[in-house]
Amino acid sequence: MIDTTLKYFPDLTDCQRNQLQTMMQMYPEWNARINVISRKDIDNLEINHLLHSLSIAKFIQFTPGTKILDLGCGGGLPGLPLAVMFPECKFHLVDRVGKKIRVATEIAEACCLDNVTCQHGDSSECQRNAYDFVVSRAVMNLPELVKISRPHISHTNTNAYPNGLITLKGGELTEELARYKDKTLLQELHTWFPDIPFFATKLLTYTPL
């Protein structure tokens, strides 16, 4: 069920494989009750959602103890797959929609992800200066995300990249990135997944904060 993921992440442990398999089973079941993934897209769950989320792990290998805030996590993406990938890091998932946080919470518990906490609310309710990175997947434009993320970033750097904001985006970003073009690193995801058409137009952005 996760053959494509294993192609690009062959060193996953048996525990990690089982956790991702559990997600592959649970997301369709929950989606039938609570729409957290587009109905037309649920058949592409592994590539378009799990592997897309894990592309962040191609960009950076978080050091043990790193704290990551997933803003607008929806049903738990990208935070939950990343929590599987980095079991020694802490992930705090936040979303304004209670039913989506319920899905994220249930899946985290089923996968025994004790490095995950979930919160129903918005960024203003999250602890300040507490996280090394904020991650976000197709939630809002970069200037807005930078503004709401900055107060939550710790000033102590322990990773290969300085603390900051990592987003997963697609489409035309010229206008959105204009203000931050000299500060933001862009990574085309097809570099890591050249055989998968879905990633042809997908980008990762990293903005140090």
Side-chain angles (χ1 to χ4, degrees):
M1 289 178 63
I2 58 167
D3 292 345
T4 304
T5 302
L6 293 176
K7 175 182 176 180
Y8 294 100
F9 295 96
D11 297 328
L12 293 175
T13 65
D14 288 344
C15 179
Q16 290 171 318
R17 295 181 186 205
N18 290 335
Q19 288 170 321
L20 292 176
Q21 293 277 21
T22 297
M23 289 185 195
M24 284 290 294
Q25 176 183 342
M26 292 190 69
Y27 271 115
E29 293 173 356
W30 272 105
N31 214 57
R33 300 159 58 187
I34 299 173
N35 189 20
V36 292
I37 294 172
S38 170
R39 304 284 189 192
K40 63 181 181 181
D41 209 26
I42 194 66
D43 291 338
N44 302 311
L45 175 64
E46 183 191 6
I47 290 173
N48 294 15
H49 298 281
L50 297 189
L51 190 58
H52 189 212
S53 297
L54 290 174
S55 64
I56 291 175
K58 290 290 188 182
F59 174 71
I60 184 172
Q61 287 289 300
F62 294 121
T63 59
T66 298
K67 296 179 180 179
I68 298 104
L69 173 62
D70 182 354
L71 279 182
C73 68
L77 303 166
L80 294 185
L82 290 173
V84 169
M85 184 64 66
F86 300 105
E88 296 182 337
C89 299
K90 298 294 184 182
F91 290 82
H92 188 58
L93 280 55
V94 178
D95 201 278
R96 293 177 178 177
V97 181
K99 63 182 181 180
K100 293 183 178 181
I101 281 293
R102 180 187 174 196
V103 174
T105 301
E106 293 284 349
I107 293 177
E109 291 179 354
C111 293
C112 300
L113 291 172
D114 58 7
N115 59 334
V116 172
T117 53
C118 299
Q119 177 182 341
H120 177 208
D122 59 31
S123 61
S124 65
E125 300 172 75
C126 297
Q127 187 177 352
R128 292 185 166 230
N129 303 317
Y131 304 95
D132 301 291
F133 291 91
V134 170
V135 297
S136 191
R137 181 174 181 259
V139 172
M140 62 182 70
N141 65 46
L142 189 64
E144 290 179 273
L145 272 171
V146 167
K147 181 179 179 181
I148 66 174
S149 298
R150 183 172 279 121
H152 305 293
I153 296 294
S154 166
H155 302 297
T156 302
N157 295 298
T158 60
N159 283 270
Y161 289 95
N163 296 352
L165 169 66
I166 300 171
T167 75
L168 295 173
K169 291 183 171 291
E172 175 55 49
L173 299 176
T174 302
E175 182 177 349
E176 180 177 339
L177 296 176
R179 182 176 172 185
Y180 295 97
K181 63 181 180 180
D182 296 328
K183 300 178 181 179
T184 297
L185 185 154
L186 296 181
Q187 174 65 53
E188 296 177 342
L189 298 192
H190 70 79
T191 302
W192 297 318
F193 311 109
D195 302 326
I196 305 178
F198 170 78
F199 292 105
T201 60
K202 302 302 180 184
L203 294 169
L204 178 148
T205 77
Y206 159 69
T207 308
L209 300 177

